[in-house]
Amino acid sequence: MSSPHDFDFFHGDWEVRHRRRTAFLAPDSDWEEFSGTSHCRPLFDGTANIDEVDMPPLSAKGATLRLFDPETERWSLNWASSISGTLFPPVFGRFEGGRGEFHGDDAYDGKDVRVRFLWSDVSAASARWEQAFSVDGGDTWLTNWIMEFTRPSGTTAG
């Protein structure tokens, strides 16, 4: 069951190893890899949080505002990009058994897409996030971005 403290592990500083497809909807596209950083802090006594991801090779930053709804016991994840200056449609979901799964609807390259975020391998020192798009309503998924989070040496959750 999801709780308002599902993302407590994420508070503090992280080093990030990014892998993303060069064409998000093309299964045969190449992957590019680059490093970045992230910092997450709690809001609303821990029932929400915000993180900023710095991606110097892309000359870009992103931010995610996560909000827990105690009535539905679901999270909304709301992503904003420094490149577009826009807030993207949220994805909604929850954690079960240490794994978070979140879904929403968006458009990419003029096509309607179903979006899925997965959080897995969560610990105080590491975590994995994946983004996938579906153009067939969720029957099939193409993973197009993976972030591996690790704590910088000498730091702890925070």
Side-chain angles (χ1 to χ4, degrees), residues 64-134:
T64 303
L65 173 64
R66 297 175 189 85
L67 302 163
F68 185 75
D69 180 342
E71 201 168 294
T72 63
E73 296 182 338
R74 284 191 333 163
W75 287 89
S76 66
L77 283 56
N78 306 271
W79 168 254
S81 167
S82 67
I83 292 173
S84 66
T86 59
L87 184 62
F88 289 79
V91 294
F92 298 91
R94 59 177 42 98
F95 274 83
E96 291 183 27
R99 181 177 178 270
E101 189 164 335
F102 307 86
H103 293 94
D105 295 308
D106 203 345
Y108 183 80
D109 254 357
K111 294 181 181 171
D112 290 337
V113 295
R114 188 89 176 124
V115 179
R116 179 182 70 193
F117 291 176
L118 297 178
W119 280 94
S120 62
D121 303 328
V122 169
S123 75
S126 64
R128 178 183 174 96
W129 172 88
E130 295 179 29
Q131 173 182 273
F133 287 172
S134 174

Side-chain angles (χ1 to χ4, degrees), residues 3 8-9 18 27 29-30 34 42 46 52 60 64 70 73 78 81 91-93 131-132 136 141-142 147-148:
S3 85
D8 285 0
F9 75 91
H18 297 265
S29 67
D30 292 333
F34 57 93
E52 183 178 26
T64 303
E73 296 182 338
N78 306 271
S81 167
V91 294
F92 298 91
Q131 173 182 273
D136 59 13
W141 294 96
L142 178 63
M147 288 192 277
E148 299 280 350

Side-chain angles (χ1 to χ4, degrees), residues 10-31:
F10 202 48
H11 300 161
D13 294 323
W14 296 91
E15 293 175 345
V16 186
R17 186 74 189 144
H18 297 265
R19 288 186 66 229
R20 72 176 196 160
R21 288 191 186 276
T22 54
F24 279 11
L25 296 177
D28 57 347
S29 67
D30 292 333
W31 288 88

